[in-house]
Amino acid sequence: MIRIRPRARGPLAVELHGPCELYGLDGVALDLAGKTRVLLCRCGHSKQAPICDGSHYQTDFEKPAAPPDADDAHDAHDAHDAHDAHDAPPT
Ligand code: FES
């Protein structure tokens, strides 16, 4: 089993309870022998991607916002249109 937990403002903590294969950006398998946990970068700033190297501490990385549901997205679009109409210069 593999358990994955996102850390607020940080990586995905992956607990390894069995075999797992993880590959680097070059397509080469990473050596996970003896590891029970890996931290996967999700900020995009790690120089050792896909492994977190702590670079997220030097960024303003925030966890991705939850996607809005369809009704919220529609309301936001309407509000944006109304705002644009209000700010439009007189013709
Ligand atoms: S989440 Fe840690 S370097 Fe990206």
Side-chain angles (χ1 to χ4, degrees):
M1 176 178 69
I2 296 174
R3 181 173 290 131
I4 303 172
R5 293 185 176 140
R7 290 187 172 177
R9 304 193 69 219
L12 295 173
V14 180
E15 295 175 29
L16 306 173
H17 300 280
C20 178
E21 292 180 358
L22 177 62
Y23 294 87
L25 297 177
D26 57 2
V28 175
L30 302 177
D31 181 11
L32 299 179
K35 295 209 181 288
T36 58
R37 185 183 71 151
V38 294
L39 299 175
L40 298 179
C41 174
R42 64 178 179 139
C43 75
H45 293 278
S46 175
K47 292 166 186 60
Q48 299 175 15
I51 303 296
C52 168
D53 68 356
S55 294
H56 61 273
Y57 287 114
Q58 277 75 50
T59 71
D60 57 356
F61 173 69
E62 295 283 342
K63 65 181 178 184
D69 65 37
D71 290 340
D72 289 346
H74 185 73
D75 291 346
H77 182 74
D78 288 347
H80 182 75
D81 287 348
H83 181 76
D84 285 350
H86 179 72
D87 290 345
T91 54

